Amino acid sequence: MTEKREIREPAGKLGVLMPGMGAVATTFIAGVELINKGLAEPVGSLSQLGTIRLGKRTENRVPKIKDFVPLAGIEGLISGGWDALPDDAYDAAALAGVLDKEHLNAVRDELKEVKPFPAVFDPHYVARIDATHTKEYGSLREAVEQVRDDIRSFKEEHGLERLVMVNCASTEAYAQPREAHFSVEGFEKALERSDPSISPSMIYAYAAIEEGVPYANGAPSLAVDIPALVELANERGVPVAGKDFKTGQTLLKTIVAPGLKARMLGLEGWYSTNILGNRDGEVLDDEKSLKSKEVSKLSVLEYILQPGVYPSLYGDISHVVKINYYPPRGDAKEGWDNIDIFGWLGYPMQIKINFLARDSILAAPIVLDLALFLDLAQRAGMAGIQEWLSFYFKSPMTLPELYPEHDLFIQQMKLKNTLRAIMGEDLITHLGLDYYE
Ligand SMILES: NC(=O)c1ccc[n+]([C@@H]2O[C@H](COP(=O)([O-])OP(=O)(O)OC[C@H]3O[C@@H](n4cnc5c(N)ncnc54)[C@H](O)[C@@H]3O)[C@@H](O)[C@H]2O)c1
């Protein structure tokens, strides 16, 4: 048995603030409203539909996760956010074209009320958005103060008890941590001099942490994934997680690759290509943003297959990922994977996967789960990187000395064991010998 943590009850309403109110954010907001009206089911949400086994198999204790841990109720969620375009959530959702008219019209009034705050925007980081709804500020420090004011006024206006922030903004240009990113002190000085290495996603993340608001990064942008902001999150007792929602092709990769490895089947190459035509695809049509996404997608196989440990099976893999913007597709993405594997005595075989996915339909339940689990983490006194939420990310954040865990099934076990641990239940090892000996 682990010791049960003290967890504050989820009293009052929870606000979900999203920088970026495009396809993913509005599909999430509309979905929550539809579910609360009893017009849809939260399909894809582990927090709402998932169960968790407790104790021995003979005990038959398998509650729903939401009945086991004290999660905030989906009926009390209030959404808001920022966008570089002025559209309310109804217009943005209609433009994104993910949900059909019947669904949108059923929650039209609720979506019309969700209007974004003006964005902290920098065209050097996102080139393809014609931003018309942006903040005016002198230094980046002033930009932070404006975002903090927005957070406070949203909380007050809606009578919220607590908030979480989930980054759903366009993918920023690829960047690696630079000098200004390595300490809180250095970061704060860089804010004063408006250092160009501080991106808008970092401004939102910094503002959230300063306001004590848990933060998740759904985009591949660096945002909170820099030492300075992780340090600040630890200091302020704020849980953070990231990055890049694990949805279509990468989700399948992290399902299939662990299976191949479990059976010691070799891999020669994995070629992945995608066509997508939504605004995310258009932003990714810019080379600098595309690099962030490709880097985020590429690391997965290496960590799962461990070529250093299994050189004869995975020592020489050709892994190629392509993303192509193709407007007719809209949000209905198509991914092709050609997987060249080999078996007994080295005989070659092929697997082809053709996934006709809906990007935002796969991402929306992740926004919901992250919001509810991060709120839980904060009430349970957990701070800094929440590695147990790796389950939801293409590039999970970890401490620098740890390699990330990409295998979906290990991630799931980590998530459920964390819930067992904070509730003082036995961890499940799946050993099972004691039933037989
Ligand atoms: N399945 C998925 O859809 C999926 C999966 C993984 C990651 N993501 C990531 O989630 C993010 C959102 O995806 P989407 O499909 O909703 O894209 P989208 O283009 O529909 O929405 C992004 C929104 O962000 C806004 N924006 C850009 N810069 C901003 C800024 N500085 N501040 C505030 N708003 C800003 C844009 O105006 C746009 O409305 C992207 O980074 C994408 O890569 C999506």
Side-chain angles (χ1 to χ4, degrees):
M1 264 302 170
T2 51
E3 200 176 319
K4 187 177 183 310
R5 280 182 182 238
E6 219 170 287
I7 306 177
R8 276 184 288 123
E9 282 304 307
K13 287 186 286 184
L14 175 67
V16 185
L17 279 171
M18 290 160 285
M21 296 180 62
V24 171
T26 57
T27 305
F28 160 73
I29 300 170
V32 167
E33 297 295 344
L34 287 161
I35 291 160
N36 284 337
K37 286 189 172 188
L39 297 173
E41 285 291 315
V43 179
S45 162
L46 182 72
S47 74
Q48 300 305 298
L49 300 183
T51 60
I52 184 161
R53 181 190 129 200
L54 304 174
K56 311 287 298 170
R57 269 181 276 165
T58 43
E59 291 176 35
N60 285 326
R61 286 196 294 146
V62 191
K64 278 195 161 181
I65 287 173
K66 65 175 182 168
D67 299 328
F68 171 55
V69 286
L71 287 185
I74 172 170
E75 61 290 342
L77 293 187
I78 306 284
S79 298
W82 296 262
D83 205 286
L85 305 170
D87 300 345
D88 60 50
Y90 178 83
D91 290 342
L95 190 79
V98 178
L99 301 178
D100 56 31
K101 278 212 178 83
E102 189 194 331
H103 267 146
L104 279 185
N105 287 337
V107 289
R108 188 177 192 282
D109 294 346
E110 291 82 354
L111 294 187
K112 275 277 169 206
E113 276 172 27
V114 185
K115 297 187 173 75
F117 291 111
V120 177
F121 189 81
D122 180 344
H124 293 106
Y125 282 95
V126 173
R128 296 288 168 99
I129 300 276
D130 198 3
T132 54
H133 188 57
T134 56
K135 294 191 184 306
E136 290 193 10
Y137 43 84
S139 69
L140 289 180
R141 165 61 72 187
E142 278 174 46
V144 166
E145 293 313 322
Q146 291 186 25
V147 174
R148 292 185 64 175
D149 283 347
D150 294 343
I151 295 174
R152 284 190 223 123
S153 70
F154 187 79
K155 192 171 179 191
E156 200 180 302
E157 184 190 339
H158 295 280
L160 304 173
E161 203 57 43
R162 300 169 319 286
L163 286 160
V164 291
M165 188 184 285
V166 183
N167 180 28
C168 296
S170 308
T171 303
E172 294 177 345
Y174 179 70
Q176 283 190 318
R178 304 239 290 272
E179 205 189 328
H181 303 153
F182 286 107
S183 69
V184 176
E185 202 192 340
F187 187 89
E188 289 177 344
K189 282 191 184 140
L191 280 178
E192 308 296 342
R193 64 171 187 272
S194 298
D195 190 302
S197 69
I198 296 192
S199 71
S201 68
M202 292 174 194
I203 301 277
Y204 293 112
Y206 176 83
I209 298 169
E210 284 287 82
E211 287 296 313
V213 172
Y215 176 93
N217 181 14
S221 320
L222 270 184
V224 79
D225 195 10
I226 53 173
L229 294 186
V230 172
E231 182 190 329
L232 187 70
N234 280 313
E235 269 173 34
R236 297 275 195 274
V238 177
V240 298
K243 59 185 189 278
D244 203 3
F245 301 131
K246 174 148 92 175
T247 50
Q249 195 166 53
T250 309
L251 172 66
L252 282 189
K253 219 168 247 181
T254 63
I255 292 172
V256 173
L260 296 174
K261 181 182 164 199
R263 299 299 287 255
M264 291 288 107
L265 293 168
L267 185 74
E268 234 184 324
W270 195 313
Y271 180 87
S272 302
T273 187
N274 298 273
I275 53 173
L276 74 162
N278 55 15
R279 195 160 49 198
D280 185 30
E282 194 178 347
V283 169
L284 293 175
D285 204 30
D286 176 59
E287 231 170 73
K288 290 195 237 128
S289 292
L290 179 66
K291 174 108 195 264
S292 299
K293 194 56 126 187
E294 286 182 340
V295 166
S296 170
K297 282 175 164 246
L298 272 169
S299 59
V300 165
L301 282 186
E302 183 154 333
Y303 284 113
I304 292 178
L305 298 175
Q306 298 175 291
V309 181
Y310 305 100
S312 63
L313 296 176
Y314 310 119
D316 189 21
I317 302 169
S318 171
H319 184 199
V320 179
V321 177
K322 298 269 175 223
I323 303 166
N324 297 295
Y325 177 51
Y326 178 59
R329 267 316 159 96
D331 199 63
K333 175 175 180 171
E334 181 156 5
W336 289 276
D337 285 88
N338 171 73
I339 313 163
D340 286 294
I341 65 169
F342 56 90
W344 184 242
L345 314 178
Y347 280 72
M349 294 171 264
Q350 287 189 356
I351 303 171
K352 314 272 182 192
I353 299 176
N354 180 198
F355 190 13
L356 286 89
R358 285 175 189 269
D359 245 5
S360 306
I361 293 295
L362 293 167
I366 299 186
V367 178
L368 174 65
D369 284 6
L370 285 172
L372 298 185
F373 284 140
L374 278 175
D375 172 53
L376 172 75
Q378 189 170 49
R379 284 182 286 107
M382 298 158 86
I385 299 172
Q386 303 299 301
E387 204 208 86
W388 61 286
L389 297 174
S390 298
F391 182 68
Y392 295 107
F393 296 109
K394 283 194 192 77
S395 284
M397 281 172 70
T398 59
L399 286 175
E401 61 271 29
L402 297 175
Y403 66 81
E405 191 50 74
H406 284 281
D407 178 327
L408 189 83
F409 304 101
I410 297 179
Q411 292 173 332
Q412 184 200 30
M413 207 184 300
K414 198 189 274 288
L415 189 157
K416 289 192 176 180
N417 268 339
T418 304
L419 297 180
R420 292 181 186 108
I422 64 173
M423 295 302 287
E425 286 282 341
D426 278 343
L427 305 186
I428 299 234
T429 61
H430 300 286
L431 176 64
L433 274 181
D434 47 343
Y435 295 112
Y436 296 91
E437 287 180 347

